[in-house]
Amino acid sequence: MTETKKRITIIKPDDCHVHLRDSEILKKVIKYTGKFYKRAVIMPNLDDPITNLSKAISYRDRILNSMHPNYIFQPLMTCYLTHSTIPKELEIGFSKKIFIAAKLYPSYSTTNSKEGVKNINFITHILECMEKIGMPLLIHGEETDQNIDIYDREAVFIENTLEPLRKKFPKLKIVLEHITTKESVEYVKKHNSKYLSATITPHHLILNRNHMFSKGIQPYLYCLPILKKNFHQQVLREAIASGDKHFFLGSDTAPHLHKNKINFFGHAGIFNAPSSLLCYVTIFEKMNALKHLQSFCSENGPKFYNIPVNQETITLVKKPYKILKKISIGKDMIIPFLAGKTLNWSLET
Ligand code: DOR
Ligand code: ZN
């Protein structure tokens, strides 16, 4: 039986994984997140990463100052972990509710990650502190050894890094960000732990690696972790359709200028903020799983982060919605995910 809902009202969602960048790009992209989401977990991988409290406070102010006055939006800040992160500073930031979490980028794993962590054993004292105070660790879970096939880096990370890490810190709260594989889904399900959850992006639910090479090479579909086989895409879809509370919404919306997307060394990242929520509802509908939409979008994340669910609601309606073609940034532009395409769901205004 297929679901034939025409209208669905849910608690206003939170996007638990967002890149907003800074300056002109921030000013142009923020409203798309504010339109659909009440809060967002803000990634700290700016060109000058958010590695301490004072940087986080001023970045939070720049975000709030850039937001359209129509939207009441709360940025939830994260700290970029380096070998010289000071545990006491994390503790203060977390207790003052400035930091909601800290992000682990293995060095050279993705955009602006070179100042990240080269060896996880060098940050043992930091992780001990986070475990003690209950501060979540958000992980870009890919091995960085270039000898490991790019399609295997997530699965190898689980085996070589995540499993030993969880054994060493059994009460450390961990979000495995933007998972893309059967191995990750099974790992999260198998452990069924209140200390372990995962986010899933709309693009990894909608696409697989064939799409990246259809009609030529498509730089706009290049993201990290890289799109995987159709088989893994289907496992991700089943994970959200199962209603398992360990999975929640993190869009990984990641704007890049056009000139950087189509460069010889094209940047990884998909800017999906104008359509992410509409993509999720489309997939849940396709999976006959609309009854689990609200928990994925609005409940599982806040429960994991130990923050109240939002009080507002939003209504999505079965009405065509055309995704904008581009956002101009000076002489350049940002092209959104599914630019110019029409989705069957829109936000009721
Ligand atoms: O595709 C990605 N883009 N993956 C990441 O992990 C980072 C992000 C970005 O910052 O552009
Ligand atoms: Zn990201």
Side-chain angles (χ1 to χ4, degrees):
M1 200 187 75
T2 43
E3 283 173 336
T4 52
K5 268 204 156 104
K6 296 251 177 302
R7 206 166 170 273
I8 179 165
T9 298
I10 57 169
I11 296 170
K12 190 154 191 193
D14 299 311
D15 187 342
C16 294
H17 188 129
V18 165
H19 299 267
L20 292 176
R21 316 302 188 204
D22 215 339
S23 312
E24 184 66 10
I25 296 185
L26 166 65
K27 289 197 182 93
K28 288 278 174 76
V29 302
I30 176 96
K31 68 174 178 201
Y32 298 98
T33 296
K35 182 171 168 185
F36 295 100
Y37 301 99
K38 177 71 198 287
R39 299 172 291 201
V41 177
I42 310 296
M43 291 301 125
N45 62 332
L46 301 185
D47 295 339
D48 177 19
I50 304 301
T51 48
N52 61 39
L53 256 178
S54 69
K55 284 182 178 180
I57 293 168
S58 60
Y59 186 35
R60 188 179 62 180
D61 288 345
R62 295 197 296 282
I63 294 171
L64 288 170
N65 290 334
S66 308
M67 184 49 95
H68 192 282
N70 282 1
Y71 303 126
I72 300 162
F73 174 77
Q74 194 188 350
L76 305 170
M77 308 310 289
T78 60
C79 183
Y80 182 115
L81 292 181
T82 71
H83 295 186
S84 38
T85 302
I86 300 164
K88 193 77 203 160
E89 187 155 3
L90 285 183
E91 202 172 335
I92 294 168
F94 187 61
S95 71
K96 291 192 166 165
K97 299 193 189 318
I98 293 159
F99 289 137
I100 191 155
K103 177 82 191 256
L104 167 64
Y105 286 106
S107 188
Y108 291 102
S109 57
T110 188
T111 309
N112 291 341
S113 61
K114 76 172 183 301
E115 287 98 332
V117 174
K118 290 188 180 63
N119 183 336
I120 195 134
N121 295 319
F122 295 164
I123 62 163
T124 297
H125 59 298
I126 301 170
L127 299 176
E128 265 165 14
C129 164
M130 290 176 63
E131 182 181 42
K132 191 180 86 204
I133 64 177
M135 182 176 192
L137 176 71
L138 316 183
I139 301 184
H140 183 108
E142 288 193 285
E143 285 301 312
T144 52
D145 179 345
Q146 297 297 305
N147 294 315
I148 300 170
D149 191 279
I150 188 166
Y151 292 100
D152 297 333
R153 285 180 197 162
E154 184 174 292
V156 176
F157 182 88
I158 293 181
E159 218 177 297
N160 290 0
T161 307
L162 184 60
E163 179 58 12
L165 179 76
R166 292 189 58 253
K167 287 230 165 80
K168 201 163 160 190
F169 303 102
K171 294 196 168 165
L172 178 61
K173 290 178 88 170
I174 292 174
V175 182
L176 194 53
E177 296 289 345
H178 41 54
I179 58 168
T180 62
T181 58
K182 173 174 179 273
E183 287 81 356
S184 293
V185 168
E186 283 181 349
Y187 187 81
V188 171
K189 283 203 164 202
K190 179 176 86 187
H191 287 281
N192 187 22
S193 161
K194 63 176 178 182
Y195 299 111
L196 178 66
S197 280
T199 53
I200 302 182
T201 77
H203 41 280
H204 290 103
L205 290 166
I206 289 184
L207 303 171
N208 59 64
R209 68 188 191 185
N210 278 350
H211 293 102
M212 228 183 348
F213 305 107
S214 136
K215 302 181 198 150
I217 190 159
Q218 300 205 21
Y220 269 90
L221 302 186
Y222 173 53
C223 61
L224 288 170
I226 199 154
L227 294 170
K228 302 295 191 301
K229 278 186 178 179
N230 178 283
F231 164 75
H232 293 287
Q233 180 196 355
Q234 300 315 319
V235 175
L236 294 178
R237 287 181 172 213
E238 281 153 23
I240 62 163
S242 73
D244 189 310
K245 307 273 181 246
H246 298 90
F247 302 108
F248 55 82
L249 191 161
S251 73
D252 201 14
T253 179
H256 288 277
L257 291 177
H258 182 64
K259 66 170 188 213
N260 294 327
K261 286 300 286 177
I262 57 159
N263 202 344
F264 275 114
F265 297 94
H267 291 189
I270 294 183
F271 172 57
N272 60 31
S275 67
S276 54
L277 189 63
L278 308 175
C279 291
Y280 285 117
V281 67
T282 304
I283 302 289
F284 274 88
E285 181 188 42
K286 203 169 234 147
M287 300 298 291
N288 279 326
L290 282 175
K291 61 177 180 295
H292 296 307
L293 180 73
Q294 173 168 286
S295 58
F296 179 81
C297 298
S298 318
E299 293 173 336
N300 301 348
K303 272 186 196 141
F304 179 86
Y305 280 107
N306 213 4
I307 53 177
V309 298
N310 294 318
Q311 297 196 338
E312 304 85 335
T313 58
I314 58 164
T315 299
L316 301 163
V317 287
K318 203 78 181 281
K319 201 173 115 191
Y321 176 82
K322 191 162 182 219
I323 299 164
L324 80 166
K325 290 204 171 130
K326 62 168 190 178
I327 296 172
S328 300
I329 309 270
K331 286 186 182 147
D332 206 337
M333 61 184 168
I334 292 169
I335 300 185
F337 183 48
L338 304 175
K341 299 249 163 50
T342 300
L343 293 175
N344 289 331
W345 285 88
S346 45
L347 192 62
E348 190 174 74
T349 43

